Amino acid sequence: MKIQEIARLAGVSTATVSRVFSHHPSIRPEVREHVFAVARQYGYHPRLSTRQRNVVIITPYNSVYPVQSCVDMILMALTQELPKRGFRLEILPVNNRERLDSIQFCAAVAIGAEPAEFADWGARFPVPLVIVDREGESGASDIHFVHSDEEQGMRIAVDHLFRSGCRRIGCIVHGSPGTGNTDRRCAAIRRALEERSLPAADSLILCSGPGSETYVELIGKLLRQGVDALFCPGGNAGIVSLYAFSLYNRRVPDDISLIASEQTFFSRYAVPPQTTITPDYPAMASATVDIIEARLDGQTAPPSVVLPYSLLSRESVAIR
């Protein structure tokens, strides 16, 4: 379908349709919406200009707390890296992604999105999409993945606790089974425990997603099983764990060792400072922009970039 056909179907001139698609300020809102509605009805997508250097960052709809969570840390790294390379940003919550049909952009970055949500990307938009903090196999040249090595991240945490003398490690993984990185993390933790001949029963590897028991209740269950360490990747578990331990009259690290996910402005200032695992956020942002630049230059880009976690050793893990 050509732009002239869209003009005829919408009952406006070809010039008006062109101005709508180029976001000319003289177009009335009702005309703009009408033209886009006709275009969507007939599956027409305007050719997107790569010269504008606009990148849309698609963020989760639900807020993730605390402020310095994984999503926000990735977003912060991207807002530093993209402008350095001459790109402009537009941040769009995932529940408003229908706006993608009405804005000009040369690439998109989705943070923490489920790949299935973008299965039709190649049919809708002739620009690359980079999904950050998720693994996937798109099977299409339009979609790329940048994520941390979950197997390696879970392994370095379990290994650090093991080398510190912990022999009964309880784990609470942030998220619900079947979503995000939850299943990969649980499976990696189980393998790491079994390789060191440590207990790896289901009752020691729990999930904290919606509908599950509260974090305080889950920690209570683990304490009743005599765990001497807690590993809780994801979310704001480091904060909640300290609160839960205070309720159960347990001290970190005297009574129990703790490893959580890094939270800027909290982990290093907690009492005691928390040992954490952390993705390499600047490297994730750099890899994301590398993919975008390669695609815009007509070069091939890797379908997936996997980056290692780091372990930040502090005082919440005791040598036993």
Side-chain angles (χ1 to χ4, degrees), residues 144-310:
H144 306 260
F145 297 90
V146 174
H147 59 89
S148 299
D149 188 338
E150 298 299 333
E151 184 81 24
Q152 175 261 348
M154 304 306 104
R155 186 179 301 274
I156 60 173
V158 171
D159 186 59
H160 185 72
L161 292 170
F162 179 75
R163 287 187 287 105
S164 299
C166 300
R167 293 298 180 265
R168 191 168 180 82
I169 301 171
C171 303
I172 303 177
V173 178
H174 176 77
S176 300
T179 64
N181 297 314
T182 306
D183 292 345
R184 291 185 178 91
R185 288 175 175 173
C186 288
I189 289 170
R190 188 182 309 279
R191 283 190 290 270
L193 292 171
E194 291 174 345
E195 287 170 6
R196 291 156 182 79
S197 299
L198 297 176
D202 290 344
S203 59
L204 292 174
I205 306 173
L206 309 177
C207 297
S208 67
S212 68
E213 297 170 273
T214 68
Y215 226 96
V216 173
E217 291 172 324
L218 293 176
I219 288 179
K221 281 188 170 184
L222 293 174
L223 290 176
R224 286 193 292 274
Q225 296 183 69
V227 298
D228 56 10
L230 175 65
F231 173 41
C232 46
N236 59 349
I239 299 172
V240 181
S241 295
L242 288 183
Y243 169 70
F245 289 141
S246 70
L247 295 180
Y248 292 114
N249 197 29
R250 301 296 177 91
R251 293 176 300 171
V252 176
D254 298 343
D255 301 321
I256 188 165
S257 291
L258 172 66
I259 295 182
S261 289
E262 178 73 5
Q263 302 287 351
T264 303
F265 303 129
F266 173 78
S267 298
R268 72 179 68 182
Y269 304 113
V271 181
Q274 293 188 356
T275 296
T276 59
I277 59 169
T278 182
D280 189 338
Y281 295 112
M284 294 176 79
S286 180
T288 298
V289 185
D290 285 346
I291 290 171
I292 292 172
E293 288 186 329
R295 289 295 310 278
L296 295 184
D297 290 341
Q299 303 172 9
T300 58
S304 180
V305 175
V306 184
L307 298 165
Y309 275 90
S310 297

Side-chain angles (χ1 to χ4, degrees), residues 2-21 26-39 42 44:
K2 298 181 179 180
I3 192 173
Q4 292 83 357
E5 295 175 79
I6 295 297
R8 178 180 60 81
L9 292 166
V12 298
S13 68
T14 302
T16 296
V17 175
S18 178
R19 290 191 182 99
V20 168
F21 289 157
S26 67
I27 299 296
R28 298 194 309 275
E30 59 271 22
V31 174
R32 186 187 311 276
E33 288 303 317
H34 174 61
V35 171
F36 276 122
V38 171
Y42 289 90
Y44 177 83

